[in-house]
Amino acid sequence: MSHAPKIALSIALALTLSTSPLAQASSALAVEMGCTNCHSNAFHPNAPSFQQLADESAKRRGETGAEDHLMSELRKPRLLGRIGAHEHLSEESARALARWMLDGAH
């Protein structure tokens, strides 16, 4: 199996992240990481929308440690209701997504 598509995607993402504002980068990251499969799909009733997540995150906006807390919540293993996609997030990706949520997920 060729690694060329993954390398090309990684380069494209790196260029996107280096040339766009954080909100755009995190939006692109949410697409790349598959977050949109559940959090922007009306047919997945158990997953909150990005807007719902941003509204909930807004309660912590400005608090010391809010980003760290949200990042660890994203990556936290769960015994029930396991979310494999969350558990596979790197710390860097989870942090970028946490910032995006705290900023309103626009």
mmCIF file of all heavy atoms in Angstrom, residues 45-73:
data_model
loop_
_atom_site.group_PDB
_atom_site.id
_atom_site.type_symbol
_atom_site.label_atom_id
_atom_site.label_comp_id
_atom_site.label_asym_id
_atom_site.label_seq_id
_atom_site.Cartn_x
_atom_site.Cartn_y
_atom_site.Cartn_z
ATOM 1 N N PRO A 45 -27.862 10.592 16.451
ATOM 2 C CA PRO A 45 -28.574 11.231 17.561
ATOM 3 C C PRO A 45 -27.803 11.290 18.880
ATOM 4 O O PRO A 45 -28.119 12.111 19.729
ATOM 5 C CB PRO A 45 -29.830 10.379 17.720
ATOM 6 C CG PRO A 45 -29.442 9.041 17.186
ATOM 7 C CD PRO A 45 -28.463 9.315 16.077
ATOM 8 N N ASN A 46 -26.791 10.472 19.072
ATOM 9 C CA ASN A 46 -26.074 10.453 20.344
ATOM 10 C C ASN A 46 -24.909 11.428 20.403
ATOM 11 O O ASN A 46 -24.306 11.588 21.452
ATOM 12 C CB ASN A 46 -25.567 9.045 20.650
ATOM 13 C CG ASN A 46 -26.713 8.081 20.830
ATOM 14 O OD1 ASN A 46 -27.764 8.440 21.331
ATOM 15 N ND2 ASN A 46 -26.522 6.852 20.395
ATOM 16 N N ALA A 47 -24.578 12.039 19.299
ATOM 17 C CA ALA A 47 -23.439 12.957 19.267
ATOM 18 C C ALA A 47 -23.932 14.400 19.212
ATOM 19 O O ALA A 47 -24.717 14.758 18.341
ATOM 20 C CB ALA A 47 -22.571 12.663 18.054
ATOM 21 N N PRO A 48 -23.457 15.245 20.118
ATOM 22 C CA PRO A 48 -23.849 16.653 20.069
ATOM 23 C C PRO A 48 -23.236 17.337 18.847
ATOM 24 O O PRO A 48 -22.181 16.937 18.372
ATOM 25 C CB PRO A 48 -23.272 17.229 21.364
ATOM 26 C CG PRO A 48 -22.177 16.299 21.754
ATOM 27 C CD PRO A 48 -22.550 14.953 21.217
ATOM 28 N N SER A 49 -23.912 18.357 18.373
ATOM 29 C CA SER A 49 -23.408 19.118 17.221
ATOM 30 C C SER A 49 -22.220 19.971 17.666
ATOM 31 O O SER A 49 -22.007 20.192 18.862
ATOM 32 C CB SER A 49 -24.501 20.022 16.671
ATOM 33 O OG SER A 49 -24.781 21.069 17.588
ATOM 34 N N PHE A 50 -21.460 20.476 16.706
ATOM 35 C CA PHE A 50 -20.362 21.385 17.028
ATOM 36 C C PHE A 50 -20.885 22.597 17.789
ATOM 37 O O PHE A 50 -20.245 23.078 18.718
ATOM 38 C CB PHE A 50 -19.633 21.845 15.768
ATOM 39 C CG PHE A 50 -18.754 20.787 15.157
ATOM 40 C CD1 PHE A 50 -18.912 20.415 13.846
ATOM 41 C CD2 PHE A 50 -17.761 20.169 15.906
ATOM 42 C CE1 PHE A 50 -18.106 19.452 13.280
ATOM 43 C CE2 PHE A 50 -16.952 19.197 15.349
ATOM 44 C CZ PHE A 50 -17.124 18.834 14.034
ATOM 45 N N GLN A 51 -22.049 23.096 17.412
ATOM 46 C CA GLN A 51 -22.608 24.260 18.093
ATOM 47 C C GLN A 51 -22.928 23.935 19.549
ATOM 48 O O GLN A 51 -22.642 24.727 20.447
ATOM 49 C CB GLN A 51 -23.856 24.771 17.376
ATOM 50 C CG GLN A 51 -24.368 26.091 17.939
ATOM 51 C CD GLN A 51 -23.321 27.189 17.874
ATOM 52 O OE1 GLN A 51 -22.782 27.468 16.815
ATOM 53 N NE2 GLN A 51 -23.015 27.806 19.002
ATOM 54 N N GLN A 52 -23.495 22.775 19.794
ATOM 55 C CA GLN A 52 -23.782 22.363 21.172
ATOM 56 C C GLN A 52 -22.486 22.217 21.982
ATOM 57 O O GLN A 52 -22.415 22.644 23.137
ATOM 58 C CB GLN A 52 -24.558 21.046 21.194
ATOM 59 C CG GLN A 52 -25.980 21.186 20.689
ATOM 60 C CD GLN A 52 -26.637 19.826 20.480
ATOM 61 O OE1 GLN A 52 -26.020 18.900 19.955
ATOM 62 N NE2 GLN A 52 -27.895 19.720 20.883
ATOM 63 N N LEU A 53 -21.471 21.651 21.361
ATOM 64 C CA LEU A 53 -20.186 21.500 22.037
ATOM 65 C C LEU A 53 -19.564 22.860 22.341
ATOM 66 O O LEU A 53 -19.028 23.089 23.426
ATOM 67 C CB LEU A 53 -19.230 20.664 21.182
ATOM 68 C CG LEU A 53 -19.599 19.190 21.034
ATOM 69 C CD1 LEU A 53 -18.765 18.546 19.935
ATOM 70 C CD2 LEU A 53 -19.420 18.463 22.353
ATOM 71 N N ALA A 54 -19.650 23.773 21.373
ATOM 72 C CA ALA A 54 -19.102 25.120 21.569
ATOM 73 C C ALA A 54 -19.864 25.857 22.662
ATOM 74 O O ALA A 54 -19.266 26.547 23.492
ATOM 75 C CB ALA A 54 -19.146 25.896 20.261
ATOM 76 N N ASP A 55 -21.184 25.715 22.678
ATOM 77 C CA ASP A 55 -21.994 26.373 23.712
ATOM 78 C C ASP A 55 -21.625 25.845 25.096
ATOM 79 O O ASP A 55 -21.515 26.612 26.053
ATOM 80 C CB ASP A 55 -23.488 26.160 23.455
ATOM 81 C CG ASP A 55 -23.994 26.915 22.235
ATOM 82 O OD1 ASP A 55 -23.277 27.812 21.727
ATOM 83 O OD2 ASP A 55 -25.109 26.589 21.779
ATOM 84 N N GLU A 56 -21.425 24.544 25.206
ATOM 85 C CA GLU A 56 -21.043 23.945 26.485
ATOM 86 C C GLU A 56 -19.636 24.396 26.885
ATOM 87 O O GLU A 56 -19.380 24.699 28.047
ATOM 88 C CB GLU A 56 -21.118 22.414 26.384
ATOM 89 C CG GLU A 56 -20.883 21.696 27.673
ATOM 90 C CD GLU A 56 -21.932 21.968 28.745
ATOM 91 O OE1 GLU A 56 -23.103 22.254 28.419
ATOM 92 O OE2 GLU A 56 -21.564 21.888 29.927
ATOM 93 N N SER A 57 -18.739 24.453 25.909
ATOM 94 C CA SER A 57 -17.359 24.877 26.171
ATOM 95 C C SER A 57 -17.293 26.343 26.577
ATOM 96 O O SER A 57 -16.418 26.739 27.346
ATOM 97 C CB SER A 57 -16.489 24.649 24.936
ATOM 98 O OG SER A 57 -16.440 23.284 24.612
ATOM 99 N N ALA A 58 -18.213 27.147 26.067
ATOM 100 C CA ALA A 58 -18.219 28.584 26.368
ATOM 101 C C ALA A 58 -18.333 28.844 27.865
ATOM 102 O O ALA A 58 -17.852 29.873 28.350
ATOM 103 C CB ALA A 58 -19.356 29.270 25.625
ATOM 104 N N LYS A 59 -18.921 27.924 28.594
ATOM 105 C CA LYS A 59 -19.054 28.088 30.046
ATOM 106 C C LYS A 59 -17.686 28.141 30.731
ATOM 107 O O LYS A 59 -17.558 28.690 31.810
ATOM 108 C CB LYS A 59 -19.877 26.938 30.638
ATOM 109 C CG LYS A 59 -21.310 26.917 30.148
ATOM 110 C CD LYS A 59 -22.031 25.675 30.648
ATOM 111 C CE LYS A 59 -23.419 25.586 30.033
ATOM 112 N NZ LYS A 59 -24.091 24.341 30.406
ATOM 113 N N ARG A 60 -16.668 27.551 30.101
ATOM 114 C CA ARG A 60 -15.314 27.510 30.669
ATOM 115 C C ARG A 60 -14.386 28.533 30.030
ATOM 116 O O ARG A 60 -13.235 28.644 30.446
ATOM 117 C CB ARG A 60 -14.713 26.121 30.492
ATOM 118 C CG ARG A 60 -15.385 25.060 31.301
ATOM 119 C CD ARG A 60 -14.619 23.749 31.144
ATOM 120 N NE ARG A 60 -15.026 22.808 32.148
ATOM 121 C CZ ARG A 60 -14.443 22.689 33.339
ATOM 122 N NH1 ARG A 60 -13.436 23.432 33.669
ATOM 123 N NH2 ARG A 60 -14.879 21.802 34.202
ATOM 124 N N ARG A 61 -14.862 29.244 29.024
ATOM 125 C CA ARG A 61 -14.018 30.203 28.315
ATOM 126 C C ARG A 61 -13.409 31.195 29.302
ATOM 127 O O ARG A 61 -14.088 31.750 30.138
ATOM 128 C CB ARG A 61 -14.841 30.943 27.267
ATOM 129 C CG ARG A 61 -13.992 31.737 26.293
ATOM 130 C CD ARG A 61 -14.823 32.344 25.185
ATOM 131 N NE ARG A 61 -15.415 31.288 24.360
ATOM 132 C CZ ARG A 61 -16.663 31.321 23.902
ATOM 133 N NH1 ARG A 61 -17.446 32.333 24.170
ATOM 134 N NH2 ARG A 61 -17.123 30.339 23.166
ATOM 135 N N GLY A 62 -12.109 31.384 29.190
ATOM 136 C CA GLY A 62 -11.409 32.325 30.048
ATOM 137 C C GLY A 62 -10.916 31.729 31.361
ATOM 138 O O GLY A 62 -10.137 32.354 32.064
ATOM 139 N N GLU A 63 -11.370 30.547 31.705
ATOM 140 C CA GLU A 63 -10.918 29.898 32.937
ATOM 141 C C GLU A 63 -9.502 29.350 32.757
ATOM 142 O O GLU A 63 -9.169 28.822 31.698
ATOM 143 C CB GLU A 63 -11.821 28.716 33.305
ATOM 144 C CG GLU A 63 -13.162 29.079 33.849
ATOM 145 C CD GLU A 63 -13.973 27.836 34.222
ATOM 146 O OE1 GLU A 63 -13.404 26.721 34.330
ATOM 147 O OE2 GLU A 63 -15.189 27.986 34.398
ATOM 148 N N THR A 64 -8.713 29.452 33.786
ATOM 149 C CA THR A 64 -7.386 28.843 33.773
ATOM 150 C C THR A 64 -7.558 27.327 33.658
ATOM 151 O O THR A 64 -8.343 26.737 34.385
ATOM 152 C CB THR A 64 -6.627 29.183 35.064
ATOM 153 O OG1 THR A 64 -6.543 30.600 35.174
ATOM 154 C CG2 THR A 64 -5.241 28.571 35.067
ATOM 155 N N GLY A 65 -6.852 26.738 32.721
ATOM 156 C CA GLY A 65 -6.887 25.292 32.556
ATOM 157 C C GLY A 65 -8.052 24.766 31.732
ATOM 158 O O GLY A 65 -8.192 23.554 31.576
ATOM 159 N N ALA A 66 -8.872 25.654 31.180
ATOM 160 C CA ALA A 66 -10.040 25.204 30.405
ATOM 161 C C ALA A 66 -9.621 24.385 29.188
ATOM 162 O O ALA A 66 -10.208 23.341 28.899
ATOM 163 C CB ALA A 66 -10.887 26.396 29.975
ATOM 164 N N GLU A 67 -8.604 24.857 28.492
ATOM 165 C CA GLU A 67 -8.136 24.143 27.298
ATOM 166 C C GLU A 67 -7.602 22.761 27.665
ATOM 167 O O GLU A 67 -7.928 21.770 27.012
ATOM 168 C CB GLU A 67 -7.052 24.973 26.610
ATOM 169 C CG GLU A 67 -6.577 24.402 25.307
ATOM 170 C CD GLU A 67 -5.527 25.278 24.676
ATOM 171 O OE1 GLU A 67 -5.805 26.479 24.436
ATOM 172 O OE2 GLU A 67 -4.422 24.764 24.433
ATOM 173 N N ASP A 68 -6.798 22.689 28.723
ATOM 174 C CA ASP A 68 -6.259 21.397 29.168
ATOM 175 C C ASP A 68 -7.379 20.446 29.582
ATOM 176 O O ASP A 68 -7.340 19.256 29.268
ATOM 177 C CB ASP A 68 -5.299 21.591 30.338
ATOM 178 C CG ASP A 68 -3.988 22.238 29.914
ATOM 179 O OD1 ASP A 68 -3.596 22.082 28.733
ATOM 180 O OD2 ASP A 68 -3.363 22.888 30.762
ATOM 181 N N HIS A 69 -8.363 20.990 30.292
ATOM 182 C CA HIS A 69 -9.486 20.160 30.736
ATOM 183 C C HIS A 69 -10.243 19.584 29.536
ATOM 184 O O HIS A 69 -10.518 18.383 29.480
ATOM 185 C CB HIS A 69 -10.443 20.974 31.612
ATOM 186 C CG HIS A 69 -11.701 20.244 31.949
ATOM 187 N ND1 HIS A 69 -11.758 19.261 32.914
ATOM 188 C CD2 HIS A 69 -12.952 20.325 31.419
ATOM 189 C CE1 HIS A 69 -12.978 18.778 32.968
ATOM 190 N NE2 HIS A 69 -13.728 19.405 32.078
ATOM 191 N N LEU A 70 -10.578 20.435 28.578
ATOM 192 C CA LEU A 70 -11.327 19.986 27.408
ATOM 193 C C LEU A 70 -10.507 19.001 26.584
ATOM 194 O O LEU A 70 -11.026 17.996 26.112
ATOM 195 C CB LEU A 70 -11.765 21.185 26.570
ATOM 196 C CG LEU A 70 -12.675 20.903 25.393
ATOM 197 C CD1 LEU A 70 -13.924 20.130 25.820
ATOM 198 C CD2 LEU A 70 -13.082 22.213 24.727
ATOM 199 N N MET A 71 -9.214 19.268 26.452
ATOM 200 C CA MET A 71 -8.344 18.361 25.708
ATOM 201 C C MET A 71 -8.333 16.980 26.363
ATOM 202 O O MET A 71 -8.459 15.960 25.682
ATOM 203 C CB MET A 71 -6.927 18.914 25.653
ATOM 204 C CG MET A 71 -5.969 18.015 24.911
ATOM 205 S SD MET A 71 -4.260 18.494 25.111
ATOM 206 C CE MET A 71 -3.963 18.037 26.800
ATOM 207 N N SER A 72 -8.211 16.929 27.681
ATOM 208 C CA SER A 72 -8.185 15.625 28.344
ATOM 209 C C SER A 72 -9.546 14.939 28.265
ATOM 210 O O SER A 72 -9.618 13.714 28.147
ATOM 211 C CB SER A 72 -7.712 15.756 29.793
ATOM 212 O OG SER A 72 -8.644 16.456 30.564
ATOM 213 N N GLU A 73 -10.630 15.704 28.301
ATOM 214 C CA GLU A 73 -11.967 15.115 28.144
ATOM 215 C C GLU A 73 -12.128 14.498 26.757
ATOM 216 O O GLU A 73 -12.744 13.448 26.611
ATOM 217 C CB GLU A 73 -13.057 16.168 28.375
ATOM 218 C CG GLU A 73 -13.294 16.490 29.826
ATOM 219 C CD GLU A 73 -13.806 15.300 30.619
ATOM 220 O OE1 GLU A 73 -14.761 14.635 30.185
ATOM 221 O OE2 GLU A 73 -13.227 15.035 31.687
#
